[in-house]
Amino acid sequence: KRVAILISGGGSNMLRLVEDMAGDHPARPVLVASNDPTAAGLRRAADLGIETAAVDHRPFGKDRAAFEAALQARLIQSAPDIVCLAGFMRILTAPFVDGWRGRMLNIHPSLLPKYRGLNTHGRAIAAGDAEAGCTVHEVTAELDDGPILGQARVPILPDDDAETLAARVLVQEHRLYPAVLRRFAAGCTDPLTLT
Ligand code: GRF
């Protein structure tokens, strides 16, 4: 299977996916693309010999559809079977997402369905939750709402702030996403609970 990974920043999740695919794996990375030409993950992917692309969203202003048309054009050049959103910070419209139905994954730093959207860690702490975590799900038109493919949990500690909790969750993201992609690329969509 051919995998394209979309990033917006450092790409730590992208790196773990790429590293895992370097071994015996049903998938291989064919493109790492970002909406931000300055994303550090682009250079990290290029250093690993992976095709990269930047489709800057800024020239398109509020014309989301025009940006997505440019992104789609570049994506289909690489003919991916699977698209992984990994720290990709643009909301994708329903028509775009529908075009990748069943083939687009995302990792979200909360135990969905709790805390869709942003500032997930601060909200979990403010709510007094005992635990937090991350979720890999299929991307659908509703934000952070598609079928769940995997989750990993961490405790919230009394002296946690959003930063310390984010760091603890990120460690689990780096375990969960590769495990889920490996299964998904092999055709398995049974939800995975990492312990
Ligand atoms: C992190 O906040 C992570 O929780 C979320 O996207 C952000 C950046 O991730 N998935 P990455 O290091 O760019 O993969």
Side-chain angles (χ1 to χ4, degrees):
K1 292 275 196 269
R2 301 168 59 88
V3 173
I5 307 172
L6 301 187
I7 64 171
S8 294
S12 72
N13 276 288
M14 173 274 296
L15 283 179
R16 286 352 179 262
L17 294 175
V18 167
E19 283 162 7
D20 195 52
M21 285 188 270
D24 175 29
H25 196 292
R28 64 185 176 89
V30 295
L31 178 68
V32 171
S34 178
N35 63 292
D36 178 348
T38 70
L42 288 175
R43 176 62 189 272
R44 298 164 91 179
D47 288 349
L48 294 171
I50 296 167
E51 179 87 17
T52 61
V55 181
D56 191 344
H57 68 275
R58 289 167 302 184
F60 298 99
K62 296 199 178 315
D63 191 345
R64 205 177 280 276
F67 162 65
E68 291 179 352
L71 179 61
Q72 179 74 359
R74 181 58 189 85
L75 267 179
I76 58 181
Q77 275 181 32
S78 298
D81 301 298
I82 299 169
V83 179
C84 290
L85 307 182
F88 186 70
M89 302 306 280
R90 304 297 296 170
I91 290 179
L92 297 166
T93 64
F96 181 89
V97 167
D98 285 345
W100 294 99
R101 176 175 296 283
R103 299 186 293 161
M104 182 175 276
L105 307 184
N106 181 46
I107 187 155
H108 179 74
S110 81
L111 293 171
L112 291 175
K114 294 181 83 167
Y115 312 125
R116 293 185 174 89
L118 298 174
N119 187 29
T120 60
H121 305 304
R123 290 154 67 192
I125 293 170
D129 292 357
E131 58 178 16
C134 50
T135 303
V136 175
H137 63 95
E138 289 188 36
V139 176
T140 57
E142 283 298 305
L143 181 68
D144 300 329
D145 186 49
I148 289 176
L149 293 171
Q151 290 195 312
R153 312 173 96 82
V154 301
I156 296 180
L157 304 179
D159 60 348
D160 265 331
D161 59 18
E163 193 179 334
T164 56
L165 181 54
R168 188 173 313 120
V169 171
L170 193 60
V171 170
Q172 296 308 314
E173 292 182 39
H174 294 164
R175 295 179 61 224
L176 180 68
Y177 214 167
V180 170
L181 177 60
R182 195 177 268 273
R183 291 154 57 95
F184 189 78
C188 172
T189 56
D190 299 340
L192 171 68
T193 297
L194 272 196
T195 52

